[in-house]
Amino acid sequence: MVPARPGRSPEPPRRHRGTAPEAAPLLPPSYVTSAGSSLSGDTGVIHVVEQEQDLQWALAEGPHPPYMVLLDGSLFSREVLMQLKGSSRISGLAVAAASPAPSQGFSPGLKCPNDGFGVYSDTYGPQFAHCNGSQWNPSGSGLSYEDFPFPIFLLQDANETELIKDCYRAHNVPGPGAAAPPFPLCALQLQSHMHAAASTVTCMRRSSLQSAFSINPEIVCDPLLDFNVWSSLQPINASGRLQPEQRVVLAATRVDSHSFPFPVSHSQFPTPTPVIPFPSQETFDYIGSSRLVFDMEQEKFPLRLENVGAFLELGQVSLMNNSVLWMHTDPVSRRNQSVDAQVKQLLSALRNSGSSSGVSLQEPDVSQPLPPSSFQRFLRARSIPGAVLSDHRAEFRNRYFQSIYDTAESIGLRYPEGMSPEEQLEHVTDTAQALARVATLVARALFLLAGGQNGTESIRANEKTVARLLFGFLLNSNNSWFQSLIKPDQKGILGPFPQHYVAVSSPTNTTQLLQAVLGNLTGISANLSREQCQNPGKTPGTMPELYEYWWVQGPLDGNSSSRIPGCVRSGVRLSPALSPAFELRRWDSREFSTWTESRWKDIRARIFLVASRELELLTLALGVLVLLLSLLGTFVINSKASLLFGIPAPPGSSGY
């Protein structure tokens, strides 16, 4: 995904949207920015780079530029890409995904994620602004924020990569002494033309003008858009407002990366009520959480900021070292004695819950700021006592943050060989056990924060549920459990490779799945017919202002292919995750995210053989010569037609 922020001139985002390329898929968004190709596509002679010294042929020595570089994934680094970017001899880049993932790590994000959009600034904790003293993502290369003058594609299919290499070996390998290979040469064309221009300010202004004055407007870019998923363990009127004296505990985690929803107890909690929001699009400068805060301030959400008594966020927790989690708090707000006392109460509840959950909790130095988190956006608006749980004290333990290698394998999610997908769905891995302990910790802490006293030992996360969540969200969403949770018309959201990247169409597949899963875990079965379930407002006693109703496919009926459908009632709801900058039409905002995505038509790639320039010129010359000779021959034949073909005889008399 490419940002289009004010003050910068990155080109439109690279987002594959439906059209299957002929030879290679587009590099997934949020990894590398690019200017896209020309309207007709960019073409170059293929050169395979498997070692860094192979670059010199494409950058300096090769006699047939421009070159399309097929780069081994292990060399995909900032240093290499900057060399390619600085050369006019490069027309495009195809990257073969590394397998296994690079051992040294790879992250195309920033060393200071979401810099400038969190709580720390020149006026709030200036000593912590711009990750001063806390480089959270040291592996970050910043490639996602670079503007490249050529298209970049990712080849995830080894067969496609080998096909290109075979063509290269047959035609393009330099001869002895680095002699130029003879023609014909193997070439590659990448087509991914983008329509947006310059920045969000420019492309949104152009799209707005088109929409206002054209019957068939040509929209060139769209703001990133999705929905936040939220639920409460006690029903809240979605169209009403909590009273100022009512308090809630927010337990949040982001969903636009490989995070997971944690199961919670179905016990009834005393006030304050735990509310569980799942902010979306947090990768792109806190779109989801900033919209939540904005809606609370504008009274477009059932909660107000003054209703939030405490905030507990689950960050990166899958790479724990010796079952240790770190409790991060904000040192600036804790200078207030009242806030500090409430934070200590929150930390005490966590410690009490951790001692019996198998998780060890530690607190970093009191002078350390918060890591990148949704909680920072709430602190920008109000001093709220809160904590962020993570598996890292300072820098991320995840070496593949925001990269194609941030997968189930990178968090140690492994299964015994020979298991079928359905067996893997039910298999409780070591990772599932560890995360179930974290879920137990969080659920027990919420119980204590909500006023509970005794009985926390009975609150325990179901390891099999956690195992199913991991498998479904990280490996294969098209499994029997997810199939039973969705509506009959949602079959299209299931697929073998779940994607957690944001888009401009909403709600995304992950958002819809999360809503269905959370509804199943926190809701109950309602004894309603399909018609009543889909139109609850017409049925007395359903209270649609408090609950959402879903008619789901249900589980399979024994060994048959038919299902047992039913109605589910839950408090899970969606709220928009569109940056307030677009609602306010402040496209140059420095307070809110202003990311947009370009529109395009065709994305494709093809390989073919090209002749030498001399042969091309000779072919052109012969073509022109044949054309001239044809014109001359046509003129001569036409002028001598009477001599060549004779004068036609006059028509004779006709008899009837």
Side-chain angles (χ1 to χ4, degrees):
M1 187 72 64
V2 176
R5 296 181 176 180
R8 301 186 182 184
S9 58
E11 291 297 321
R14 311 298 306 268
R15 184 72 174 181
H16 179 57
R17 197 189 301 178
T19 303
E22 294 179 6
L26 183 67
L27 184 67
S30 80
Y31 297 125
V32 177
T33 65
S34 172
S37 72
S38 60
L39 184 60
S40 58
D42 292 340
T43 304
V45 174
I46 297 173
H47 182 66
V48 176
V49 176
E50 296 178 324
Q51 303 178 43
E52 196 162 350
Q53 53 264 34
D54 297 338
L55 283 171
Q56 289 307 307
W57 181 265
L59 295 175
E61 299 172 4
H64 306 302
Y67 284 95
M68 279 281 180
V69 173
L70 174 59
L71 185 69
D72 187 90
S74 61
L75 298 176
F76 191 71
S77 64
R78 183 178 182 84
E79 179 183 2
V80 170
L81 263 70
M82 289 302 102
Q83 293 183 60
L84 298 176
K85 178 182 178 179
S87 174
S88 60
R89 294 166 54 90
I90 306 300
S91 59
L93 177 64
V95 183
S99 182
S103 58
Q104 71 275 15
F106 173 73
S107 173
L110 296 173
K111 296 183 184 297
C112 183
N114 291 356
D115 186 21
F117 289 86
V119 68
Y120 302 112
S121 64
D122 294 338
T123 58
Y124 187 98
Q127 69 273 30
F128 304 128
H130 311 298
C131 296
N132 184 26
S134 299
Q135 194 178 84
W136 298 107
N137 186 31
S139 300
S141 62
L143 285 175
S144 291
Y145 295 79
E146 289 290 341
D147 174 28
F148 291 92
F150 46 73
I152 302 176
F153 278 49
L154 174 69
L155 302 177
Q156 292 183 301
D157 189 335
N159 293 329
E160 292 177 346
T161 303
E162 197 58 33
L163 179 66
I164 298 176
K165 287 184 176 180
D166 287 344
C167 190
Y168 166 78
R169 296 186 193 106
H171 300 279
N172 296 9
V173 175
F183 283 93
L185 297 176
C186 189
L188 174 66
Q189 183 185 59
L190 303 179
Q191 184 171 339
S192 58
H193 181 67
M194 302 292 165
H195 298 301
S199 67
T200 287
V201 175
T202 302
C203 75
M204 288 300 294
R205 183 177 64 246
R206 291 181 181 178
S207 296
S208 179
L209 289 173
Q210 285 277 339
S211 300
F213 298 105
S214 176
I215 298 177
N216 297 306
E218 181 70 21
I219 307 300
V220 294
C221 69
D222 303 281
L224 298 188
L225 170 66
D226 198 9
F227 285 88
N228 298 317
V229 183
W230 68 277
S231 177
S232 64
L233 297 189
Q234 285 188 350
I236 294 178
N237 191 331
S239 59
R241 301 288 180 272
L242 291 186
Q243 296 302 313
E245 65 276 7
Q246 292 181 278
R247 292 290 180 266
V248 299
V249 179
L250 290 185
T253 188
R254 65 201 303 171
V255 298
D256 58 325
S257 62
H258 289 177
S259 56
F260 63 95
F262 53 88
V264 294
S265 169
H266 290 189
S267 306
Q268 290 299 314
F269 286 77
T271 55
T273 300
V275 176
I276 309 172
F278 293 82
S280 179
Q281 309 194 94
E282 294 297 87
T283 300
F284 299 98
D285 299 331
Y286 304 120
I287 294 177
S289 55
S290 63
R291 180 56 186 260
L292 269 177
V293 173
F294 178 80
D295 286 346
M296 288 181 182
E297 291 177 325
Q298 301 297 316
E299 297 193 354
K300 297 179 180 179
F301 194 77
L303 310 180
R304 301 179 178 89
L305 285 172
E306 54 263 34
N307 295 130
V308 182
F311 195 106
L312 178 59
E313 180 171 351
L314 203 61
Q316 301 178 41
V317 295
S318 60
L319 298 174
M320 290 183 291
N321 184 17
N322 297 324
S323 296
V324 174
L325 283 183
W326 295 88
M327 303 180 293
H328 300 271
T329 58
D330 173 42
V332 179
S333 61
R334 292 187 67 177
R335 294 171 187 169
N336 181 290
Q337 291 184 354
S338 175
V339 173
D340 184 58
Q342 295 177 74
V343 171
K344 288 179 178 178
Q345 181 182 1
L346 170 59
L347 300 183
S348 176
L350 288 169
R351 288 193 181 94
N352 292 337
S353 304
S355 60
S356 59
S357 304
V359 179
S360 176
L361 290 164
Q362 298 185 29
E363 188 176 0
D365 193 299
V366 70
S367 62
Q368 180 176 300
L370 285 168
S373 54
S374 304
F375 182 37
Q376 290 201 27
R377 289 300 303 194
F378 283 80
L379 280 176
R380 281 178 66 131
R382 186 183 179 90
S383 291
I384 298 173
V388 177
L389 296 181
S390 76
D391 57 22
H392 55 88
R393 183 188 67 81
E395 65 184 46
F396 296 161
R397 290 177 55 81
N398 182 7
R399 296 171 298 159
Y400 307 108
F401 182 68
Q402 294 180 357
S403 84
I404 57 175
Y405 305 112
D406 190 6
T407 61
E409 184 179 359
S410 69
I411 64 171
L413 190 62
R414 297 179 179 87
Y415 297 88
E417 293 185 6
M419 275 191 170
S420 67
E422 285 303 307
E423 290 173 333
Q424 292 177 337
L425 173 67
E426 302 295 335
H427 181 71
V428 179
T429 62
D430 293 341
T431 302
Q433 291 177 349
L435 294 179
R437 290 194 291 270
V438 176
T440 298
L441 157 71
V442 172
R444 291 179 178 180
L446 289 176
F447 179 80
L448 294 176
L449 291 170
Q453 300 295 328
N454 301 314
T456 58
E457 295 79 9
S458 63
I459 301 175
R460 185 172 298 275
N462 188 305
E463 293 181 349
K464 184 158 289 189
T465 299
V466 177
R468 287 178 166 186
L469 290 170
L470 287 172
F471 180 82
F473 280 104
L474 300 185
L475 290 177
N476 190 345
S477 61
N478 193 13
N479 58 72
S480 60
W481 188 44
F482 278 15
Q483 290 167 6
S484 69
L485 305 182
I486 62 173
K487 299 177 182 179
D489 60 355
Q490 288 183 308
K491 296 178 182 179
I493 69 175
L494 301 179
F497 303 108
Q499 296 293 327
H500 304 281
Y501 310 109
V502 296
V504 295
S505 58
S506 62
T508 61
N509 292 357
T510 296
T511 299
Q512 295 180 68
L513 283 174
L514 177 59
Q515 185 183 18
V517 170
L518 192 60
N520 174 267
L521 294 176
T522 62
I524 63 172
S525 177
N527 188 21
L528 298 175
S529 67
R530 180 168 185 168
E531 183 179 354
Q532 291 173 328
C533 189
Q534 294 175 339
N535 298 281
K538 298 180 180 180
T539 303
T542 55
M543 296 181 289
E545 68 279 3
L546 298 181
Y547 301 103
E548 287 284 329
Y549 290 83
W550 286 55
W551 183 260
V552 299
Q553 294 191 128
L556 291 173
D557 186 4
N559 295 325
S560 69
S561 59
S562 61
R563 294 184 175 274
I564 307 175
C567 186
V568 173
R569 187 192 78 178
S570 77
V572 179
R573 299 180 183 273
L574 301 179
S575 66
L578 173 68
S579 172
F582 298 102
E583 183 162 312
L584 300 172
R585 299 179 66 87
R586 288 164 46 191
W587 303 321
D588 59 348
S589 172
R590 294 288 181 177
E591 180 182 0
F592 300 113
S593 169
T594 56
W595 287 73
T596 53
E597 177 177 292
S598 174
R599 288 194 179 184
W600 62 87
K601 293 182 179 178
D602 288 332
I603 296 178
R604 63 183 64 193
R606 64 190 182 104
I607 56 175
F608 51 91
L609 297 180
V610 293
S612 66
R613 182 59 56 88
E614 292 77 11
L615 181 57
E616 290 177 341
L617 292 176
L618 177 60
T619 303
L620 176 62
L622 289 175
V624 173
L625 179 61
V626 169
L627 174 63
L628 294 176
L629 291 176
S630 300
L631 293 175
L632 179 61
T634 302
F635 174 76
V636 171
I637 292 173
N638 186 61
S639 62
K640 302 296 183 180
S642 59
L643 179 63
L644 294 174
F645 305 109
I647 301 175
S653 58
S654 300
Y656 296 94

